[in-house]
Amino acid sequence: MSDRSLKLAINNHDLAEAFFEDTRLLGIMAPVKDYQFCWQLNSMLGMDFRINNDIEIRLNKKKRDYYFSVFEFKEPTGSLAHYVYKNQFDGEYLLPEFKHLDFLWLMKDDWVSDPDLQQFIQQVKSLNGVQLVAELTNERIKNKEHLVF
C-alpha cells in the first residue's frame, strides 16, 4: 500500500466517548436569558461562570450556521470544570432530542459523586425561573458530539 492511498478519518464517536469519560450532565428548563441564568448561578451559588467564545459551539444545519454559547467555570480548588451550554439558537437545538431543555450543565475533569450531584440539582432548582433539573445519562443523548469543543 502506498502512502498516497492511506486516508485518515476522525472517529467522532470515539472522540465523544473520550470527551464524556467521567462527566455528569444536567438538563435544565429555565426560560431566561443565558447571561441571567449564569448571573444567578454566580451570585446564589458562589460560582464564577463566564462566557467563553473560544469554545462556542457552531453547528451547520440547513446550509446555515448556528451558534450555541458556552459559559465556563473552573473550581479554584481541584480540577472540576463546569460548562453551561445554551441548548437553543434561532429555532435550532444543540441537542434536538431535548427540545424542552433551555440549558445543559456539563461537569467534567473530576469525579462528581451522587450526593454532590443531588446537591447541585437542589441548588439549581431553588433559582428563580428554574422549572426542571434532571440528570441526562449518556445512553439518552443521541447527539453527544454536538457538545464536544
Side-chain angles (χ1 to χ4, degrees):
M1 181 186 283
S2 74
D3 288 337
R4 291 184 204 171
S5 64
L6 182 64
K7 291 186 180 181
L8 298 176
I10 295 174
N11 185 328
N12 286 335
H13 175 75
D14 289 349
L15 187 68
E17 290 302 317
F19 182 83
F20 282 98
E21 202 169 293
D22 290 332
T23 63
R24 302 299 286 263
L25 183 65
L26 298 177
I28 301 162
M29 186 187 303
V32 298
K33 300 279 187 198
D34 53 4
Y35 61 87
Q36 292 172 321
F37 179 67
C38 287
W39 179 84
Q40 281 195 73
L41 290 174
N42 290 344
S43 60
M44 305 296 231
L45 305 182
M47 297 182 150
D48 191 21
F49 276 100
R50 295 177 185 262
I51 195 161
N52 185 338
N53 293 319
D54 293 336
I55 58 174
E56 176 180 71
I57 307 294
R58 181 183 65 85
L59 292 182
N60 188 288
K61 293 182 175 184
K62 303 173 193 162
K63 299 180 182 177
R64 186 171 162 218
D65 287 333
Y66 295 89
Y67 298 92
F68 300 90
S69 57
V70 180
F71 290 76
E72 178 181 37
F73 166 63
K74 293 187 177 178
E75 292 193 1
T77 57
S79 56
L80 184 61
H82 301 266
Y83 301 93
V84 171
Y85 300 75
K86 180 78 171 139
N87 191 37
Q88 193 265 352
F89 178 84
D90 207 17
E92 283 296 327
Y93 294 88
L94 188 58
L95 294 183
E97 62 269 33
F98 296 110
K99 289 182 179 179
H100 62 289
L101 298 175
D102 298 296
F103 301 100
L104 306 162
W105 183 342
L106 178 71
M107 298 170 210
K108 93 184 246 74
D109 296 331
D110 202 353
W111 175 246
V112 177
S113 69
D114 288 341
D116 287 345
L117 186 70
Q118 289 307 313
Q119 184 178 350
F120 278 118
I121 290 172
Q122 291 309 314
Q123 289 175 320
V124 174
K125 280 183 179 178
S126 73
L127 300 177
N128 285 336
V130 173
Q131 299 170 353
L132 172 87
V133 183
E135 183 175 12
L136 305 178
T137 57
N138 283 342
E139 303 80 44
R140 295 179 57 202
I141 305 168
K142 295 177 188 160
N143 295 288
K144 264 189 240 190
E145 65 279 358
H146 289 181
L147 299 177
V148 177
F149 43 79

